[in-house]
Amino acid sequence: MNRRISKTLGLSQEAYLFDSPLYLTKSLLAIATGYIIGKQFPIAQLDMISVLLGVMYNLEPLNRTGIRSGVSQLIASTIGAAATGILVLAFGVNVFSISIGMVLTLYVCLKINWRLVSPVAIFTSIYMTQYIQVNEAGLPSIWLTFRLRIIALGLGVLIALFYNYIFSNLYYRKFAKKRLQYANEQVLNGLIYTAKVFQRTLPRGKRGYIQLFSQQMNDLDLVYSNIEALKTEFTILKKEVKLKEVNKLQEIAELYRDINHLTYDLNFLLESTPDVVLDKELELSLEEVIVVLESTDYTNSIVPPLHDLKVEKHYLDIGNPFAERIHKICEKVNLVVEKLQHLQ
């Protein structure tokens, strides 16, 4: 009963591998700090929403990504405030200035990066027409509104950067290894799926693998980019010993991507030729690879010995070109896993 309640209320294994408990703790402390400090500043306390959003928008596991995010938020806010503020100064607050200000903000964001429109810039554009401050004479002031938005957001960003720095020392300990464990589990899911297709417990020809492997490719790219960010941070901090270890972990992450791509290709061939007859050795080969990855645990301080690959690898001389390609891919998977074992 207790186990069932714990499973229902607790976070998933994936959430733990991405340090969600630390993130929740950091959010709790950062929001509390943002509220307390924000209330002490005469200007910032007028806009606690921007302070607290600035905190939450910029909480990141690594210092460098936090700084980059903070700068991006401030630039986006300046763009949104300036674009809309100029129109409000010229035409006042009306349907024209609100709509054109939004379009102008979006245009500038797309001009900077056509792939991304910052939600902060959108919020700021609306903010500049709906939260206008008044001066001592009781008149609406775009300058006071602009100043309030930037100061409140900037304070939130600074608090987030402070907590990023404090907590990064905790994240650093197992940051990359936890990400690799997640990669290991994702690749395992793909291999287990493929083994079932081999065994025909899952039907061939239904193209069910596409969604699974597409998501896994995105996840593995995320793991690789996370480790790349950590590598960049160690390079800047000139932590040579840690940098050497991260280089090896990044190479492992790349091998996981290779295995996933090969497994995807394997499913593509199996789906394309659902009636092809395959040697039993290939199924055993996949099962051996699964056993190897199941024995891998990057989060354990005492790493258990990995299971050795025992399947002999050779090309079978058969007439079906698809079967030959499947055999070759299976052999490549074995070779990549052997490299993985060597790096560990």
Side-chain angles (χ1 to χ4, degrees):
M1 183 68 178
N2 289 336
R3 184 178 297 178
R4 185 181 302 174
I5 294 174
S6 177
K7 185 176 181 181
T8 302
L9 299 180
L11 296 171
S12 66
Q13 176 66 13
E14 291 83 1
Y16 280 104
L17 291 176
F18 275 78
D19 292 305
S20 294
L22 275 175
Y23 175 69
L24 293 175
T25 303
K26 181 164 69 171
S27 299
L28 173 68
L29 295 174
I31 280 290
T33 303
Y35 183 81
I36 292 170
I37 294 179
K39 285 294 184 180
Q40 305 306 311
F41 282 81
I43 296 177
Q45 68 175 335
L46 298 174
D47 183 17
M48 290 301 297
I49 292 177
S50 290
V51 174
L52 300 180
L53 281 178
V55 170
M56 292 308 300
Y57 273 145
N58 296 283
L59 290 179
E60 298 285 349
L62 300 175
N63 289 314
R64 181 172 176 270
T65 51
I67 293 171
R68 187 169 56 186
S69 173
V71 171
S72 174
Q73 303 298 337
L74 290 172
I75 291 175
S77 278
T78 302
I79 290 171
T84 308
I86 291 171
L87 286 170
V88 171
L89 282 174
F91 304 103
V93 179
N94 52 51
V95 65
F96 173 79
S97 60
I98 293 173
S99 57
I100 298 301
M102 178 60 69
V103 171
L104 186 58
T105 300
L106 297 176
Y107 173 80
V108 174
C109 289
L110 291 172
K111 187 72 174 176
I112 294 172
N113 182 359
W114 67 270
R115 294 179 182 273
L116 178 67
V117 173
S118 171
V120 176
I122 293 174
F123 177 81
T124 303
S125 179
I126 297 171
Y127 182 101
M128 292 296 293
T129 61
Q130 304 301 310
Y131 202 65
I132 296 178
Q133 302 298 297
V134 294
N135 58 25
E136 294 178 353
L139 300 175
S141 172
I142 290 298
W143 161 245
L144 291 179
T145 307
F146 175 86
R147 186 185 68 169
L148 174 60
R149 171 62 175 160
I150 299 303
I151 288 177
L153 179 63
L155 178 61
V157 169
L158 288 176
I159 292 169
L161 294 182
F162 171 76
Y163 277 98
N164 287 342
Y165 175 77
I166 297 298
F167 274 76
S168 64
N169 293 316
L170 301 176
Y171 280 107
Y172 283 159
R173 293 178 184 178
K174 288 189 175 181
F175 177 87
K177 290 185 177 180
K178 285 182 178 180
R179 299 302 193 270
L180 283 182
Q181 187 61 30
Y182 177 77
N184 184 74
E185 293 179 3
Q186 294 306 300
V187 170
L188 255 176
N189 290 338
L191 286 165
I192 291 171
Y193 176 92
T194 307
K196 290 179 179 179
V197 174
F198 259 94
Q199 298 162 1
R200 294 185 182 274
T201 56
L202 285 176
R204 297 181 190 175
K206 301 296 184 181
R207 300 177 69 82
Y209 69 98
I210 293 178
Q211 182 176 357
L212 171 67
F213 282 92
S214 297
Q215 181 60 50
Q216 287 183 178
M217 287 176 186
N218 290 334
D219 290 343
L220 293 172
D221 285 343
L222 174 63
V223 169
Y224 185 88
S225 64
N226 281 174
I227 298 177
E228 176 68 25
L230 181 60
K231 176 182 172 181
T232 303
E233 191 145 325
F234 283 157
T235 301
I236 294 171
L237 297 175
K238 296 182 179 180
K239 296 185 177 183
E240 300 297 336
V241 176
K242 292 184 177 180
L243 184 59
K244 184 177 180 181
E245 180 185 358
V246 170
N247 281 330
K248 184 179 77 170
L249 297 178
Q250 187 179 29
E251 191 174 345
I252 292 174
E254 191 164 358
L255 290 175
Y256 274 119
R257 291 202 299 185
D258 292 342
I259 295 172
N260 200 60
H261 280 289
L262 288 169
T263 314
Y264 177 91
D265 293 342
L266 199 55
N267 278 274
F268 172 78
L269 289 172
L270 290 170
E271 295 278 328
S272 302
T273 56
D275 298 324
V276 67
V277 178
L278 300 171
D279 192 273
K280 182 67 176 177
E281 179 186 320
L282 296 180
E283 183 182 324
L284 293 173
S285 174
L286 279 180
E287 290 175 359
E288 285 292 319
V289 169
I290 289 170
V291 171
V292 169
L293 296 188
E294 284 179 337
S295 69
T296 302
D297 186 359
Y298 295 98
T299 62
N300 195 345
S301 56
I302 302 175
V303 181
L306 292 178
H307 180 89
D308 292 328
L309 286 174
K310 298 176 182 177
V311 176
E312 294 182 4
K313 301 175 291 298
H314 61 274
Y315 299 128
L316 298 182
D317 186 15
I318 51 183
N320 190 315
F322 285 100
E324 289 184 11
R325 288 173 65 186
I326 291 171
H327 280 70
K328 290 180 179 180
I329 290 175
C330 286
E331 179 163 299
K332 287 180 180 179
V333 169
N334 277 265
L335 291 173
V336 173
V337 173
E338 284 180 345
K339 288 182 182 178
L340 196 64
Q341 288 181 297
H342 177 72
L343 284 172
Q344 294 173 353

